[in-house]
Amino acid sequence: MAHGVALIMTTVHELLTSSASSEHPTPQWLVDQLAREFGKFDLDPAATAANAKAPRFYAEADDGLSQPWAGRIFLNPPYGRTIGLWLAKATQVGADGHLVVALVPARSTGTRWWIEAVRAASLPPRFIPGRLVNPETGRQWTIPAAILVFGPVHGRHGTEAVRCTVCSEWFWPSYPKRSTCSDRCRKAAYRARFVPDSIPKMGQK
């Protein structure tokens, strides 16, 4: 009986724990890049006031799984036993015509939740090379990660990650020859082409 109570308490804790907790918080550069590609996010259903990635968010006490999701949603779900429930809801919300962009662990590709989520996704999984860095501690994540997208997707979207030649962040180019992740980086690369090597750089004599 005690074991059953402990299991229930563990499940409840995982259900209510924020997706952007101190264990696996989302780097802001990744959210910014995805927002440039898919549009600014309207809702973060698993967050806190301090780390929400959208104007509307559900915190621990709100129980994001039981709340309505609408618009463009960024989801970094709790990486515990309830992750399948979060991805099942993302699948349903996507089927209802809303866009869900989810950051998920990529070490569990043989699990039922992963297989079902990938089958329902609008794009192939986007695996993030290496490990993401915790923006709060500067330490690397202990697990690999991937992006899954559910719902209506318009235009071209890449699936193979490359590094931006200007800022060095990972992105998924919609065209193979694209080498920069944003208009800002593209303009910076364009300007750099017209700076003669003979002109001293700042700080050089």
Side-chain angles (χ1 to χ4, degrees):
M1 183 69 177
H3 175 73
V5 172
L7 179 58
I8 292 173
M9 292 302 295
T10 299
T11 301
V12 170
H13 172 73
E14 290 171 343
L15 176 62
L16 298 179
T17 298
S18 166
S19 67
S21 68
S22 59
E23 186 177 359
H24 298 107
T26 308
Q28 187 61 46
W29 69 263
L30 179 58
V31 178
D32 292 342
Q33 185 203 119
L34 294 170
R36 286 194 294 269
E37 180 178 0
F38 296 102
K40 291 184 178 180
F41 296 108
D42 304 305
L43 173 69
D44 183 343
T48 69
N51 57 36
K53 304 305 181 185
R56 291 180 56 238
F57 66 92
Y58 297 134
E60 177 178 332
D62 300 317
D63 182 9
L65 271 176
S66 66
Q67 300 291 341
W69 299 5
R72 287 186 294 270
I73 300 116
F74 176 78
L75 173 65
N76 179 357
Y79 292 179
R81 301 183 184 209
T82 62
I83 190 170
L85 299 178
W86 289 90
L87 271 297
K89 177 146 187 172
T91 297
Q92 183 58 57
V93 170
D96 290 340
H98 303 281
L99 178 72
V100 183
V101 179
L103 176 63
V104 300
R107 68 180 178 187
S108 307
T109 56
T111 59
R112 180 177 179 180
W113 72 260
W114 171 272
I115 295 171
E116 292 180 349
V118 169
R119 286 175 178 170
S122 304
L123 296 173
R126 292 179 164 189
F127 294 97
I128 301 174
R131 296 288 190 274
L132 291 173
V133 175
N134 184 325
E136 299 174 2
T137 66
R139 297 178 181 178
Q140 287 187 333
W141 283 27
T142 58
I143 58 175
I147 300 293
L148 295 179
V149 181
F150 306 90
V153 174
H154 307 288
R156 293 175 59 96
H157 298 272
T159 57
E160 296 295 328
V162 300
R163 280 195 182 278
C164 175
T165 56
V166 175
C167 69
S168 298
E169 300 292 6
W170 292 105
F171 76 109
W172 293 265
S174 54
Y175 294 92
K177 293 184 179 180
R178 185 174 175 183
S179 61
T180 53
C181 69
S182 65
D183 287 341
R184 180 178 180 180
C185 286
R186 178 181 59 79
K187 292 176 181 178
Y190 180 81
R191 289 194 299 269
R193 292 174 55 192
F194 296 97
V195 178
D197 294 338
S198 58
I199 296 179
K201 295 181 180 179
M202 186 176 295
Q204 293 182 342
K205 295 183 178 180

